[in-house]
Structure formats: C-alpha cells, structure tokens
C-alpha cells in the first residue's frame, strides 16, 4: 500500500532568511516528504527585502535540500496550508518569549481549521539567539554578520545598505 505524501509548510517573513531558519528547514525536510517554505508578504511589517527578493534568497540557500519548495502567500496561513494540502505548519521556537505568541497563534489556527496541526521545533543551540532584525541592525551598523547567514544573503544585505 502506498502511503500518503506528508507535506508541511514553514511560514515566515524571512527578511532575510538566516541560519536559524535553515536549521529548522533542514530538520523538517528530513521528517516530512515535502517542505514548503512560505514567504508571508506582510507589507505591514515593512520588510527590507521585497517578497520576490526573499523568495530568490531562500531558493539559493535551499538548493541542496531535495524535497523543498519556496512559495509566498498573503492571507491566513491555515488557508494557504489547506490550498497546499499540507498536514501541518512548522514554526521555530527559540525562547520562552516566543512561546506565548506562538501558543496564541496555534490556538487561533486550530479554531480556524482543526485539520491543520501546528508543530514546533527548536534549533541547534548556536542559532537560538538569531533573528532577522538583529542581523539587519548589525549589518547596517557595519558589524560582522558572517556565521549568521549564508554568503549569498550577506552579499544581498550589504548591497541593500550600500544603496
Ligand atoms: P515571523 O515574522 O513570521 O515570526 P520570521 O521570519 O521571523 O517570521 O520567522 C519565521 C519562523 O522561523 C518563526 O517560526 C520563527 O520562530 C522561526 N525562527 C526565527 N528565528 C529562528 C531561529 N534563530 N531559530 C529557529 N527558528 C527561528
């Protein structure tokens, strides 16, 4: 009997993608048949990179993961998950401070669509302090961001702050 394909979506702003996001993506791709990284268009968050730029950066970073696809959405994440026939949404958890927001979001998503399971994964300890906002601030002020983001993302970020 052929088992059903298990697809999971990993939504986020990814402005830009960093090594913590990639750690979660690598782990999730090993567990599920297909992982879809989904860029939330999120204009209200005023992202530094356009959604097309964020997608292109992610695509470069995940070329070595065979079962990954990159997409974008504008709207409710549960609706997007349903349109992809995904079984679950994965989110990263870094600190207790992430928990409160993620817990509320997960409960809301269960109310909106009980079929879609929310799952949480912790990154390797070395990525626990990483977030896109801090990386952008350090890059803007001329600090060294190597080790936090892939080279291609670093070049794109430095380019943004040069212009
Ligand atoms: P959002 O604005 O949707 O939180 P982010 O791009 O900041 O978007 O994060 C997307 C997802 O990646 C979230 O689940 C977030 O908790 C997770 N994440 C962010 N940074 C890290 C990290 N350093 N390690 C693991 N997961 C992370």
């Amino acid at each position: 009997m052929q088992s059903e394909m298990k697809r999971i979506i990993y939504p986020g702003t990814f402005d830009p993608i960093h090594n913590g996001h990639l750690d979660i993506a690598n782990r999730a791709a090993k567990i599920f048949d297909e992982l879809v990284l989904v860029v939330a268009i999120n204009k209200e968050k005023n992202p530094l990179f356009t959604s097309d730029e964020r997608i292109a950066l992610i695509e470069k970073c995940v070329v070595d993961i065979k079962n990954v696809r990159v997409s974008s959405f504008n709207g409710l994440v549960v609706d997007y998950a349903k349109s992809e026939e995904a079984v679950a949404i994965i989110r990263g958890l870094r600190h207790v401070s992430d928990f409160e927001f993620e817990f509320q979001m997960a409960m809301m998503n269960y109310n909106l669509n009980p079929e879609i399971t929310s799952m949480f994964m912790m990154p390797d300890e070395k990525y626990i302090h990483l977030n896109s906002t801090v990386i952008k601030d350090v890059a803007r002020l001329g600090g060294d961001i190597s080790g936090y983001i892939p080279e291609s993302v670093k070049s794109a970020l430095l380019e943004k702050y040069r212009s």
Side-chain angles (χ1 to χ4, degrees), residues 10-14 18 20-21 24 45 91-92 94 102 123 127 130:
Y10 181 18
T13 312
F14 301 116
H18 57 61
H21 295 133
I24 300 292
K45 279 203 174 180
R91 297 279 293 171
R94 290 160 289 188
E102 293 296 344
Y127 304 122
L130 287 189

Side-chain angles (χ1 to χ4, degrees), residues 1 4 24 29 31 41 45 61 112-113 139-140 148 162:
M1 194 178 74
E4 203 186 315
I24 300 292
I31 299 171
I41 293 177
K45 279 203 174 180
C61 298
L112 291 167
N113 187 341
R140 187 171 44 83
Y148 302 144
R162 249 196 299 271

Side-chain angles (χ1 to χ4, degrees), residues 6-8 28-34 67 87-88 90 119:
K6 299 271 189 275
R7 177 180 294 129
I8 190 163
K30 284 187 190 140
I31 299 171
F32 291 87
D33 299 312
E34 189 183 40
N67 54 339
V87 290
I90 188 118
M119 299 190 70

